[in-house]
Amino acid sequence: MHRAIEAIWRIEAAKVIAGLARMVRDIGIAEDLAQDALVTALEQWPREGVPPKPGAWLMATAKHRALDWLRRNQMMDRKHEDLAYEMQLRESSVPDIHAERDEIDDDLLRLIFVACHPALPEEARVALTLRLLGGLTTGEIARAYLLSEATLAQRIVRAKRILAQRRVPFEVPTGTELKDRLSSVLGVIYLIFNEGYAATAGDRWIRPDLCQEALRLGRTLAQLMPSESEVHALLALMELQASRFKARVNGEGEPVLLLEQNRSHWDHLLIDRGLRGLEQVEKLGGAGGIYALQAAIAACHARARLAEQTDWTRIAELYRNLMEVAPSPVVQLNQAMALGMAEGPAAGLAIVEEIASEASLANYHRLSSVRGDLLFRLGRFTEARAEFERAASLTQNARERQLLLSRADSCAERGETAAGGPVVH
């Protein structure tokens, strides 16, 4: 029974917290009140059975807790009295949660924007989003990011304190502020996805649970903001990349690079969804957006039934376009890799050498891994080996380190074919 309740809670938690946050205007208090409702469910449901509409039951119970909290804290000025009276009328019987869909959707959207508020450090936004909207426990988030539970808990508490101290309004921004804030929201969701797609540390190459949470958040946001092209673009990008999961590791959990993957194992349902999402982006006029361009790159890989059919010229062009709208050394590094495939390794290496002195790439292991691949393909095996070894020393992921060291070993035997193709994830 407890597992069933936990499953229901994971589905309903964000809606309950969002509804409470609208009442009490404090995310920390809203989460505490929601947890109280969960405790009540854990006490009552094993005896009485799960109610027909568990989400509505949790919402009603939590709102009663919120009304009691408002009274106890003597916040009942005329405004709160009116609110309390309204809520008492509404909750004289258990509400139908589906009859309040618009209100719930609005509350969820507000909660997303508050959890991803730019006032919070990036890592706090990620943790708070997974906690409030992903329904993950502190322990689950800590394990996913290889942190102690105490450290993660402190991060979440600090985030709530910042939001309370700054009195961040529980609302969706409008006008020009919406664009900036939406960028933060999308960035947080994509950070969560990327940590699952290629874990930065630990002994697992991928963490599908994090990617699934990011996809769920992306789909929720797309439903809540159907006219925002970049929302659909990010979702399309994540679906296209997630389609490769089954082929990204072998039976021993070792990484399998993109050009070596068995493409029959790719999830074509996710590919279809991603491609349809891209079509929606184009209809909304957002094909030149940051996530739209990245999704278009992923689509080039998805459309190639065989690795050798990949349109690398198109991919290199898309990276050039991405450099125009979001210039960064990392994007330029990816462009170098694509150009190395489209025009030959010397063309790619020329770009890598241009950006090698960038301070932001000083300890970035992919700079060395991409350079190593290009050098290997040019037959400069000694230099390539040094680059792969350097990349291995910089990565914190044990699986990736093993792969890079294996590629370094392959450089020792000039006559052999490389253990892997270009370092494309």
Side-chain angles (χ1 to χ4, degrees):
M1 173 63 79
H2 277 204
R3 285 189 177 181
I5 296 173
E6 288 172 3
I8 292 169
W9 177 247
R10 184 158 292 190
I11 294 170
E12 303 293 342
K15 301 169 191 173
V16 174
I17 294 169
L20 292 172
R22 176 167 50 85
M23 290 179 64
V24 301
R25 303 287 164 171
D26 186 303
I27 281 183
I29 294 169
E31 188 180 15
D32 290 343
L33 293 168
Q35 289 289 331
D36 288 345
L38 173 61
V39 170
T40 303
L42 289 168
E43 292 171 349
Q44 293 187 15
W45 291 3
R47 296 195 311 265
E48 303 171 6
V50 177
K53 295 177 180 178
W57 189 99
L58 287 165
M59 186 73 83
T61 302
K63 285 182 176 178
H64 285 305
R65 294 282 191 279
L67 290 172
D68 290 341
W69 181 88
L70 288 168
R71 294 190 188 97
R72 282 198 310 270
N73 286 273
Q74 297 180 342
M75 297 175 65
M76 303 298 286
D77 56 15
R78 185 63 191 168
K79 179 179 178 180
H80 288 111
E81 287 176 1
D82 291 344
L83 175 62
Y85 180 70
E86 175 191 337
M87 295 304 298
Q88 285 172 328
L89 288 177
R90 184 183 300 173
E91 295 173 1
S92 56
S93 59
V94 175
D96 181 352
I97 197 170
H98 299 292
E100 302 176 353
R101 179 56 52 195
D102 291 343
E103 179 180 281
I104 291 166
D105 287 350
D106 288 346
D107 288 344
L108 272 176
L109 192 56
R110 292 186 188 102
L111 185 61
I112 290 172
F113 275 89
V114 172
C116 299
H117 197 282
L120 301 176
E122 188 175 84
E123 65 273 10
R125 290 180 233 167
V126 169
L128 196 59
T129 299
L130 286 171
R131 175 71 174 158
L132 298 179
L133 294 152
L136 302 186
T137 66
T138 303
E140 288 170 329
I141 303 168
R143 286 192 294 275
Y145 283 88
L146 305 179
L147 298 169
S148 71
E149 192 165 346
T151 297
L152 199 284
Q154 287 178 349
R155 191 171 288 179
I156 291 174
V157 168
R158 195 177 304 119
K160 294 176 186 175
R161 186 182 303 124
I162 291 172
L163 293 174
Q165 289 173 345
R166 297 203 179 191
R167 297 184 178 180
V168 171
F170 187 69
E171 63 185 18
V172 177
T174 57
T176 56
E177 187 185 357
L178 175 61
K179 182 178 180 181
D180 294 337
R181 292 277 298 280
L182 181 58
S183 175
S184 173
V185 171
L186 296 177
V188 167
I189 294 174
Y190 198 34
L191 278 172
I192 294 169
F193 182 87
N194 278 334
E195 182 59 30
Y197 188 73
T200 55
D203 57 6
R204 294 171 61 193
W205 175 236
I206 59 175
R207 300 179 187 277
D209 51 338
L210 281 179
C211 289
Q212 289 304 319
E213 286 302 325
L215 281 166
R216 189 170 69 81
L217 289 168
R219 288 167 185 154
T220 298
L221 194 59
Q223 291 173 353
L224 297 175
M225 305 186 75
S227 63
E228 291 290 340
S229 62
E230 277 290 79
V231 172
H232 293 284
L234 174 59
L235 179 56
L237 170 60
M238 293 191 297
E239 286 176 331
L240 289 168
Q241 290 181 318
S243 69
R244 308 172 196 158
F245 269 134
K246 291 182 181 178
R248 275 177 58 73
V249 294
N250 62 19
E252 287 71 46
E254 298 168 339
V256 180
L257 297 177
L258 179 59
L259 300 187
E260 297 177 342
Q261 290 173 14
N262 183 341
R263 300 189 177 209
S264 67
H265 293 167
W266 287 3
D267 187 329
H268 291 279
L269 177 60
L270 278 176
I271 290 175
D272 290 342
R273 290 181 62 136
L275 294 177
R276 285 199 303 272
L278 262 182
E279 291 175 2
Q280 178 68 9
V281 171
E282 291 174 1
K283 289 178 183 177
L284 292 169
I290 295 172
Y291 293 108
L293 289 169
Q294 293 178 75
I297 292 167
C300 288
H301 294 296
R303 291 188 178 105
R305 292 185 176 275
L306 300 173
E308 53 268 28
Q309 295 174 348
T310 305
D311 189 348
W312 286 105
T313 300
R314 173 61 177 159
I315 291 174
E317 178 186 350
L318 288 166
Y319 273 122
R320 278 194 293 271
N321 295 341
L322 188 58
M323 274 296 294
E324 292 179 4
V325 297
S328 80
V330 173
V331 172
Q332 203 166 3
L333 181 63
N334 289 326
Q335 181 189 1
M337 176 274 300
L339 199 63
M341 293 298 294
E343 300 180 10
L349 187 60
I351 295 179
V352 171
E353 299 303 346
E354 285 180 16
I355 61 175
S357 60
E358 289 282 347
S360 60
L361 298 179
N363 294 308
Y364 186 48
H365 70 282
R366 286 203 65 238
L367 173 65
S368 292
S369 66
V370 170
R371 182 193 263 156
D373 174 74
L374 294 168
L375 288 167
F376 185 95
R377 291 169 56 209
L378 286 168
R380 295 161 60 176
F381 302 110
T382 301
E383 295 169 86
R385 180 175 188 176
E387 292 296 336
F388 287 132
E389 288 175 343
R390 172 171 167 74
S393 72
L394 291 174
T395 183
Q396 298 180 58
N397 185 283
R399 294 290 189 178
E400 188 170 27
R401 184 181 304 113
Q402 183 180 11
L403 170 68
L404 289 164
L405 290 174
S406 174
R407 299 205 69 198
D409 290 342
S410 73
C411 294
E413 303 179 12
R414 295 170 55 105
E416 289 191 1
T417 302
V423 185
V424 181
H425 293 170

